[in-house]
Structure formats: structure tokens, C-alpha cells
Amino acid sequence: MVKGARLEVRGVSHAFALEKRALPVLENIEFTAEPGEFLALLGPSGCGKSTLLRLVAGLEPPTKGRLLVDGEEITGTDPSRTIMFQDPTLFPWRTVRGNAQLGPEARGTLKANAGRVEEALSLVGLAGFAEAYPHQLSGGMAQRAALARALVNEPRVLMLDEPLGKLDSLTRLVMQREIATLWERERFTALLVTHDVEEALLLADRVLVLSDRPARIRADIRVDRPRPRRRDDAGIVALREEILALLGLAEAA
């Protein structure tokens, strides 16, 4: 069953105030993510990908344009829209379970959601580490704990801001598979920011390629390949070359 929400980004532009002048970051961004769809955002460093996630999360309003979830305008944060960052940002004095249950605890719904906490820990493979502390975890396990914390909220839109960027290559491969499996099971709508073209193609239904700042959508590429995907799939290889060319990195193909 699809649990995800329909996300609409309509003519969104955004700018930061910098030394009494406006610094444009996003320019007329427009796309729709259907319920349960997985989108990846690719683009040069500093082009505004993470800023777009912050706007979808409701952490700040756009300078111009509208963002809607199931037809309702986003006006602030909501647990149904959860963001997972590159750093796990776990509280060191709390156990894995204690970190995972932060959302329900803050909303006063922990008792009703106790089962969901245990289910989320099981989903990410940390059921046996519920009483461990962050300093006892590997980098991959810490990211699993952060993912469990996000899943406890049963998000309808899950935003992933380079969550695997600091992991070693082998752990990253494992986590990519686990995220794909969780998405297929939970069917939330996903927005992934990554600099890894292959990661985007292995995980996403569509890849939005952004320009330099202020970011505009240069291409909206559908990844019409069967799952689970392989890096050596001819279709994936061709799309990788296409995207690298769009990013001005054709020689890296």
C-alpha cells in the first residue's frame, strides 16, 4: 500500500539575505512527486539542493512560489515530512531506542507509539542494539539509528540530505540497498539529495538535474529500469553518461 503524499513544488524561488543584499539560491523550481514516488536531486555543490529540502520540510518559507502536500500548502514543519541529514545528529547521552523515540516523546504520544519504535529499530536492523549508545556504533549503524528515528514518525514524505555521504564505500552500498528495501516496503514519497550519480540512478524513479546557483531544473529524467538495479545495467550506464554530460562531466563517464 502506498503511504506517500503527493508533493507539488510550484514556481518556487528562494534567496538568502547576505550583507544587506539578496543572494538568489533557487529560481522557478517546478515539479510534482506522485504518492510513493522516489525522486533524486543532482547538481553542483552549493546550488540549493539542501535548501529545497528545507523548504519542503517547512523549516522556512520560500521567497516566491508555493509548496503543497496533497493539495494543502506547507506553512511549517510536520512529522509527516521528515528530513534525514548527512550527520546522524544522535544525542550521545541517549540510547539508540532513546534517540529513535524522540519524535513521539516530544509530541506526548510515546505510549501509543511504543510498538512503532520497536518496529522501526527492527526495520533498520538495530533491534539488538536498542540499549547501545552512539559512541558504541559504527558510522553505518549510527545512520541506521537516524533512519529509525525518521521512520518512527511514519513519514509520508521522507527527505534524505546526502545521508550516506560520509560512509565508507562498502557500508554505503549496503545502506543503498537497505534504503531501497525500506522504500519498497513503506512506500513513502522520497526526495534524495546526492552527489553520486549512480546512487541516484539505483534508487530513484526520477532524477532532477539542477543547474548552478540559482538552481533551475535542467532535466527531469525518468529511470525506467527494473528493480533491484545493477550498476552494469546497460540502461543505467547510458543514463549515467547522459547525466554526467548535463553536469559538464562527460569526460568522467
Side-chain angles (χ1 to χ4, degrees):
M1 181 179 69
V2 175
K3 299 179 182 178
R6 188 173 196 262
L7 172 66
E8 298 173 72
V9 179
R10 294 286 168 253
V12 165
S13 297
H14 196 63
F16 294 128
L18 183 65
E19 297 179 350
K20 297 182 180 180
R21 63 184 178 87
L23 176 67
V25 179
L26 302 171
E27 184 176 301
N28 196 32
I29 301 293
E30 184 140 353
F31 66 88
T32 297
E34 297 298 337
E37 196 170 19
F38 199 130
L39 268 62
L41 306 175
L42 279 172
S45 293
C47 75
K49 300 182 297 295
S50 296
T51 297
L52 181 56
L53 291 196
R54 289 179 60 83
L55 299 183
V56 174
L59 294 171
E60 55 188 295
T63 304
K64 182 181 178 183
R66 305 174 70 204
L67 299 103
L68 304 101
V69 170
D70 287 337
E72 297 291 326
E73 192 144 8
I74 295 174
T75 58
T77 59
D78 188 277
S80 68
R81 285 175 279 110
T82 302
I83 188 165
M84 180 179 168
F85 297 101
Q86 186 177 76
D87 293 309
T89 59
L90 302 174
F91 288 126
W93 60 87
R94 299 185 70 127
T95 63
V96 167
R97 179 184 286 111
N99 274 283
Q101 67 189 29
L102 278 169
E105 211 173 87
R107 297 191 297 277
T109 60
L110 180 56
K111 187 175 181 180
N113 285 278
R116 179 61 181 173
V117 173
E118 301 308 315
E119 181 186 9
L121 291 175
S122 180
L123 280 172
V124 301
L126 288 181
F129 292 86
E131 298 307 318
Y133 286 88
H135 74 273
Q136 298 172 310
L137 306 177
S138 67
M141 291 170 73
Q143 283 296 56
R144 286 191 182 95
L147 185 55
R149 181 176 58 195
L151 292 174
V152 164
N153 294 317
E154 297 187 86
R156 302 193 64 217
V157 179
L158 179 61
M159 289 155 282
L160 303 155
D161 194 358
E162 294 193 73
L164 313 182
K166 292 187 176 180
L167 300 180
D168 65 83
S169 58
L170 293 179
T171 304
R172 186 166 187 153
L173 293 177
V174 172
M175 287 295 293
Q176 286 171 354
R177 287 200 302 269
E178 291 187 0
I179 287 173
T181 300
L182 284 169
W183 171 77
E184 287 175 355
R185 172 173 172 161
E186 299 289 298
R187 291 312 304 268
F188 42 74
T189 301
L191 281 180
L192 168 70
V193 164
T194 180
H195 285 98
D196 187 326
V197 176
E198 283 188 349
E199 183 170 273
L201 291 170
L202 290 173
L203 293 174
D205 296 311
R206 289 159 55 202
V207 178
L208 305 184
V209 182
L210 304 183
S211 68
D212 284 313
R213 189 180 66 241
R216 300 171 302 281
I217 295 178
R218 296 190 61 192
D220 184 340
I221 296 171
R222 182 162 295 281
V223 188
D224 191 16
R225 305 302 300 165
R227 298 173 184 272
R229 295 173 181 158
R230 294 175 53 91
R231 284 170 168 75
D232 59 358
D233 177 281
I236 295 294
V237 172
L239 288 172
R240 178 179 179 272
E241 293 176 357
E242 179 183 347
I243 291 171
L244 287 173
L246 284 168
L247 293 170
L249 298 168
E251 68 281 359

